[in-house]
Amino acid sequence: MSAPKSKAASFHLLSNEKWQPITIPLFSILLSLIAASIVILLIGKNPLGAFYNLLQGAGILPKPSYAGYKGILTDFLSLLNAMTPLLFASLAVAVAYKAGLFNIGVSGMMLAAGFSATVIIGYSRLNSFLAKPFVLLIGIIVGAIMGAFVGWLKYKFNINEVVSTIMLNNIAQYVFGFFINMYFIDPVSRQSRYILDNSRLTLVNVEYGGLKMDIPLGFILAIAVAVFIKFFMDKTVLGYEIQTVGANRNAAKYAGINVGKNIVLAMVISGALAGLAGVTFYLGYFSSIQPKVLSSVGYDAIAVSLLGNSNPVGIIFSSLLISIISKGSTYMSSIAGIDQDIASVITGTILLFSACGEYIKYKIKRSKDKQLERKGEEA
């Protein structure tokens, strides 16, 4: 295929509005990988080798050798374990965004949910079949309450949700940090005492086929929740109302939609999802809480949601991609001799180009309009 034909085919694919939610993020990822490759070349390394090592470290491709009881399956399950809270957190950001809200307080909601579940269930000797569902339930309730509070402040007093969630992040960070340091600190790790296995949402060191694996119980739930959120937003009246409020509040109000109710509802759902992210992070991927430190997952989720175009299905794949880069960076650094910060550069460039998605749409639309104008003049 000649260069002009190839360019025309690429433009036609990107200009198809039906496929733009898929093609533009993929185009953004391609541009970011090219940019990352240039950076890797500038430091004198092989980009293809680096990306190959990245996939090996994440459990997508096999390594030349493994330590005892380890294999590609253990690496892959570790990837899914890290991805689970990120997926929940990204869905939380997406639901709020659909209502025209920017939930920057996911990390604080995660901490509140994780701390509550740790104190109430994590140190108890409750039967495992009861403890794990209760952990999830507490995460949902605590997150939903915090989300409802933010939504109520927005509706009742028009307090910008960015301001209120940032304040809640700081309150959660230091209040729960105080209680951990006073009552639940482990003198060796200087983190909260480790929770008991009966309440942990990850089955640790499960032996099967000569391997010791960490099985994330919350992963299947996260996928199911993503599918449900997609159905809820696209096929239900409440989902339609939330999106209408997000698109134009004045028009929604004129159409008879209760704007305040939907703002609060969207933040309740967003908070509940953030709570699930918190319990799968602090009582799943990890088993303790570092005091006075907010997880970066809540902030990474903003970028992942953006990359996934706030579409739950797209978010599944974008959270997988970012988790691969994060998990594979250590192995890439040790084998290829590339600093781990390069992984952050790759992630940053992906998110940078993703943020340009609307601009890319604008340029494509403008090119299409110019082509139509030329055809009209020729006719």
Side-chain angles (χ1 to χ4, degrees):
M1 186 182 287
S2 63
K5 287 183 179 179
S6 176
K7 185 178 179 180
S10 300
F11 177 79
H12 177 73
L13 190 63
L14 288 171
S15 62
N16 188 324
E17 292 185 7
K18 180 182 177 181
W19 292 101
Q20 277 185 347
I22 297 174
T23 55
I24 289 182
L26 288 176
F27 181 64
S28 300
I29 291 170
L30 177 62
L31 290 176
S32 64
L33 291 177
I34 292 171
S37 298
I38 294 171
V39 172
I40 294 172
L41 282 170
L42 289 174
I43 61 175
K45 302 294 181 180
N46 182 356
L48 293 178
F51 294 145
Y52 186 82
N53 295 147
L54 196 69
L55 293 174
Q56 284 180 311
I60 304 299
L61 295 175
K63 297 175 183 175
S65 61
Y66 292 91
Y69 301 103
K70 299 295 181 183
I72 186 172
L73 182 59
T74 59
D75 287 349
F76 183 70
L77 287 173
S78 179
L79 170 69
L80 298 185
N81 199 15
M83 174 185 165
T84 300
L86 180 61
L87 178 51
F88 276 127
S90 303
L91 291 171
V93 174
V95 169
Y97 187 74
K98 290 289 186 182
L101 303 168
F102 190 49
N103 185 1
I104 203 171
V106 172
S107 288
M109 295 174 184
M110 286 176 62
L111 178 57
F115 177 81
S116 301
T118 295
V119 173
I120 297 170
I121 302 294
Y123 300 136
S124 74
R125 298 193 176 275
L126 192 64
N127 182 283
S128 179
F129 291 102
L130 293 174
K132 297 181 194 303
F134 272 124
V135 164
L136 293 171
L137 183 61
I138 290 169
I140 291 170
I141 293 172
V142 172
I145 290 172
M146 290 187 70
F149 180 63
V150 172
W152 179 75
L153 289 175
K154 176 70 174 179
Y155 163 64
K156 194 71 175 176
F157 304 105
N158 197 29
I159 296 176
N160 189 291
E161 70 281 359
V162 174
V163 175
S164 59
T165 50
I166 288 175
M167 294 301 101
L168 283 176
N169 277 350
N170 282 279
I171 291 169
Q173 180 178 358
Y174 291 104
V175 169
F176 296 125
F178 167 79
F179 281 107
I180 290 171
N181 281 323
M182 288 296 294
Y183 304 108
F184 304 104
I185 197 72
D186 184 300
V188 177
S189 67
R190 303 308 301 171
Q191 300 190 98
S192 67
R193 299 196 308 270
Y194 293 105
I195 62 168
L196 302 178
D197 287 341
N198 61 314
S199 58
R200 190 167 179 182
L201 298 175
T202 298
L203 301 179
V204 183
N205 290 329
V206 177
E207 291 193 37
Y208 180 79
L211 301 174
K212 287 186 177 180
M213 301 170 287
D214 294 346
I215 302 176
L217 299 177
F219 177 73
I220 300 300
L221 177 62
I223 298 297
V225 167
V227 173
F228 172 77
I229 294 296
K230 174 69 174 172
F231 172 82
F232 175 78
M233 286 297 176
D234 293 350
K235 302 295 183 182
T236 68
V237 174
L238 282 175
Y240 172 77
E241 289 183 351
I242 287 173
Q243 293 186 82
T244 304
V245 169
N248 191 319
R249 288 178 193 170
N250 291 329
K253 188 175 182 179
Y254 182 78
I257 295 172
N258 189 327
V259 174
K261 182 197 78 173
N262 282 282
I263 286 175
V264 175
L265 176 62
M267 283 307 303
V268 166
I269 298 172
S270 178
L273 291 168
L276 286 171
V279 294
T280 53
F281 184 78
Y282 292 113
L283 293 93
Y285 187 55
F286 291 107
S287 59
S288 64
I289 303 172
Q290 186 176 356
K292 297 184 181 179
V293 174
L294 288 176
S295 166
S296 64
V297 170
Y299 301 107
D300 294 341
I302 297 170
V304 171
S305 180
L306 180 67
L307 178 59
N309 204 30
S310 295
N311 184 310
V313 176
I315 286 171
I316 292 174
F317 293 101
S318 61
S319 58
L320 175 62
L321 174 64
I322 299 304
S323 297
I324 287 171
I325 296 170
S326 177
K327 290 293 289 183
S329 61
T330 302
Y331 187 79
M332 178 188 72
S333 177
S334 61
I335 299 299
I338 296 174
D339 196 289
Q340 270 187 271
D341 289 339
I342 295 298
S344 299
V345 171
I346 298 171
T347 303
T349 51
I350 288 174
L351 303 177
L352 175 64
F353 284 110
S354 298
C356 297
E358 290 301 320
Y359 177 73
I360 294 171
K361 286 182 186 178
Y362 165 74
K363 294 294 288 184
I364 290 170
K365 186 178 184 303
R366 192 173 179 184
S367 297
K368 284 175 68 177
D369 291 342
K370 285 183 177 179
Q371 286 182 0
L372 290 173
E373 286 176 8
R374 282 197 296 267
K375 287 180 181 179
E377 291 172 359
E378 290 172 2

